[in-house]
């Protein structure tokens, strides 16, 4: 079903080599300079137009008459993660502590393949296709940067993909409505008063206060959020103290909240702030809260999800309805402006995203490029008829 047609054998090899090269030289968010240059060179070698946008890293390509409408947008991301690679692939990362552990090399190479195939049929396109090679997805703030340059101006619909190692190669999955979580990050600083461990009444023990915070914050979901809604509070770091017989003068905690709709997200933040304030006053302490909102939920348009799954089936994929996932994905910001669908593409596992041994099955690559091509062409045809 997912065989490579003979006229695309060379292209399939080209994008596979491109991915391996990108995997060897991963770059962190907002530092994707060589990656951007490599993508740009590949596009220009194929006479594909690169838009002149004020971007430090990342770029936007366009195929079709520059004024033609409808305009369909495909999005790939290009950044890597601060993870030491431990996979056994022969195109292993050459940079210590940096790795394409989320498969953004796969997304980029598939989108590049789609761009080249679209270019070959540029004259017959009933409109225009724009391809976003977005930087800094892992920060949750790459999409807003790109949006601010007008990357979605005149666009009618946007499609994005993410590889999913829990799905077999040849399977795609999505759902209408919330697909990923809204992500918030918090840091809490507890100001106590240090003392001798034997004379706690002379101090104000920040470790006790941190313990109260942990217990109280873990009730936010259980006792505030309706049971039909999903949400998560995870405290992932706690630092305090340095020895056994001294009560320290402070504690520091960090963590994240995940939620799937705006009302729940706002409720949790409000109650979080109230709990922190309440514990501060109960323990006569100063507690600071640094709340950093990340991307909201990816909210898929029901019609475009149906369409995207049908188009996958048309090119040999097995479509599947999947559950929402508590990961974050800044594709959500695009969907606040225009309708769109985000689709998971099976990459064959066995290791999860962000795992040091994560790898993508190469057999998924060309079919994914072909799928993006199909999505773009079919969406143009559908929009042109409306
Ligand atoms: Ni990712």
């Amino acid at each position: 079903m997912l065989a490579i047609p003979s006229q695309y054998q060379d292209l399939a090899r080209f994008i596979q080599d491109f991915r391996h090269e990108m995997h060897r030289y991963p770059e962190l968010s907002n530092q994707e300079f060589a990656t951007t240059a490599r993508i740009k060179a590949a596009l220009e070698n194929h006479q594909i137009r690169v838009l002149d946008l004020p971007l430090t890293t990342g770029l936007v390509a366009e195929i079709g008459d520059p004024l033609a409408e409808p305009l369909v947008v495909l999005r790939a991301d290009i950044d890597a993660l601060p993870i030491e690679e431990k996979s056994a692939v022969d195109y292993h990362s050459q940079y210590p502590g940096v790795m394409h552990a989320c498969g953004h090399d796969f997304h980029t190479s598939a989108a590049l393949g789609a761009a080249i195939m679209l270019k070959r049929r540029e004259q017959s396109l009933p409109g225009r296709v724009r391809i976003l090679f977005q930087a800094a997805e892992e920060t949750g703030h790459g999409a807003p940067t790109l949006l601010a340059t007008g990357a979605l101006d005149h666009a009618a619909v946007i499609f994005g993909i993410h590889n999913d190692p829990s799905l077999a190669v040849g399977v795609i999955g999505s759902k209408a409505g919330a697909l990923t979580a809204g992500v918030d990050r918090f840091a809490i600083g507890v100001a106590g008063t240090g003392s001798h461990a034997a004379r706690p009444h002379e101090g104000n023990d920040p470790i006790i206060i941190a313990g109260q915070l942990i217990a109280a914050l873990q009730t936010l979901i259980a006792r505030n959020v309706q049971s039909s809604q999903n949400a998560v509070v995870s405290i992932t770091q706690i630092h305090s103290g340095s020895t056994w017989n001294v009560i320290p003068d402070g504690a520091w905690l960090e963590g994240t909240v995940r939620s799937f709709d705006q009302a729940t997200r706002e409720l949790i933040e409000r109650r979080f702030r109230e709990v922190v304030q309440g514990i501060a006053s109960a323990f006569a302490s100063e507690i600071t809260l640094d709340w950093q909102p990340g991307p909201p939920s990816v909210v898929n348009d029901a019609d475009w999800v149906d369409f995207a799954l049908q188009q996958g089936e048309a090119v040999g994929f097995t479509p599947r309805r999947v559950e929402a996932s508590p990961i974050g994905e800044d594709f959500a910001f695009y969907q606040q402006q225009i309708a769109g669908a985000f689709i998971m593409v099976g990459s064959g596992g066995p290791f999860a995203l962000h795992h040091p041994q994560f790898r993508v099955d190469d057999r998924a690559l060309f079919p994914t490029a072909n799928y993006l091509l199909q999505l773009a062409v079919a969406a143009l045809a559908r929009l042109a008829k409306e």
Side-chain angles (χ1 to χ4, degrees):
M1 289 297 271
L2 297 169
I4 301 168
S6 58
Q7 75 267 31
Y8 287 132
Q9 294 283 351
D10 289 348
L11 174 69
R13 199 163 310 116
F14 173 74
I15 59 174
Q16 180 171 312
D17 290 347
F18 189 92
R19 183 176 89 78
H20 292 182
E21 181 79 356
M22 190 170 163
H23 194 92
R24 274 189 197 99
Y25 303 105
E27 293 177 300
L28 294 174
S29 305
N30 293 316
Q31 297 171 33
E32 313 93 332
F33 295 103
T35 303
T36 300
R38 210 174 289 128
I39 299 165
K40 189 162 188 260
L43 290 165
E44 288 178 348
N45 279 341
H46 289 86
Q47 289 77 50
I48 295 167
R49 184 162 78 245
V50 174
L51 300 188
D52 186 19
L53 299 176
L55 290 166
T56 317
T57 56
L59 70 162
V60 177
E62 207 177 73
I63 299 113
D65 183 291
L67 295 173
E69 287 191 21
L71 171 59
V72 168
V73 182
L74 305 176
R75 180 274 213 158
D77 41 14
I78 69 170
D79 54 328
L81 284 158
I83 293 175
E84 179 77 24
E85 179 157 11
K86 296 205 171 81
S87 86
V89 298
D90 60 9
Y91 49 90
H92 199 275
S93 171
Q94 299 298 299
Y95 295 151
V98 189
M99 176 190 178
H100 271 295
C102 202
H104 296 185
D105 53 341
F106 174 83
H107 310 156
T108 295
S109 308
L112 177 61
I116 295 168
M117 290 187 280
L118 283 162
K119 181 68 186 178
R120 289 182 189 171
R121 55 170 84 185
E122 187 167 37
Q123 302 309 322
S124 65
L125 291 179
R128 204 172 7 145
V129 181
R130 199 175 275 170
I131 304 187
L132 314 182
F133 294 93
Q134 182 208 304
E137 193 286 322
E138 299 292 355
T139 66
H141 299 288
T145 304
L146 201 44
L147 273 172
T149 68
L152 283 196
D153 290 0
H154 311 292
V157 63
I158 182 164
F159 298 103
I161 52 157
H162 206 293
N163 80 92
D164 185 342
S166 74
L167 297 177
V169 174
V171 175
I172 52 172
S174 194
K175 71 182 281 288
L179 178 68
T180 67
V183 177
D184 292 301
R185 174 175 174 171
F186 59 83
I188 303 170
V190 179
T193 307
S195 68
H196 194 295
R199 306 182 65 79
H201 61 284
E202 291 175 359
N204 188 8
D205 187 347
I207 291 180
I208 297 293
I209 299 169
Q212 300 290 331
L213 279 168
I214 293 165
L217 292 172
Q218 285 306 332
T219 68
L220 287 180
I221 309 296
R223 289 298 174 266
N224 291 272
V225 176
Q226 205 175 316
S227 59
S228 59
Q229 294 291 325
N230 288 325
V232 175
V233 172
S234 285
I235 294 165
T236 54
Q237 291 204 65
I238 171 163
H239 298 278
S240 185
S242 56
T243 188
W244 70 282
N245 57 356
V246 176
I247 289 174
D249 62 4
W252 186 82
L253 304 88
E254 192 178 45
T256 183
V257 176
R258 305 291 163 113
S259 55
F260 290 92
D261 74 272
Q262 193 54 30
T264 304
R265 189 178 192 183
E266 286 166 12
L267 168 74
I268 295 170
E269 182 183 348
R270 181 171 58 77
R271 290 294 296 136
F272 200 107
R273 290 182 184 281
E274 288 167 359
V275 164
V276 167
Q277 221 168 39
I279 287 181
S281 83
F283 287 83
S285 165
E286 291 251 328
I287 306 182
T288 57
L289 174 60
D290 177 19
W291 189 270
Q292 291 179 26
S297 275
V298 161
V299 179
N300 279 333
D301 179 272
D303 279 350
W304 284 114
V305 165
D306 287 345
F307 172 86
L309 293 177
Q310 281 159 15
Q311 296 312 317
E313 203 167 10
V315 291
F317 282 94
T318 304
R320 193 177 287 173
R321 300 281 163 176
V322 296
E323 298 279 298
S325 157
I327 62 164
E329 171 52 73
D330 76 358
F331 185 80
F333 289 113
Y334 301 123
Q335 291 170 312
Q336 290 182 328
Q337 310 238 332
I338 60 169
F342 196 71
I343 310 295
M344 310 307 287
V345 177
S347 55
F351 300 104
L353 299 172
H354 298 203
H355 191 283
Q357 285 171 277
F358 170 79
R359 61 181 143 84
V360 166
D361 189 325
D362 272 325
R363 288 173 301 175
L365 184 57
F366 178 80
T368 303
N370 191 43
Y371 175 45
L372 289 171
L373 166 72
Q374 174 76 13
L375 265 181
V377 171
L380 283 180
R382 176 179 165 167
L383 290 162
K385 256 192 255 155
E386 277 173 4

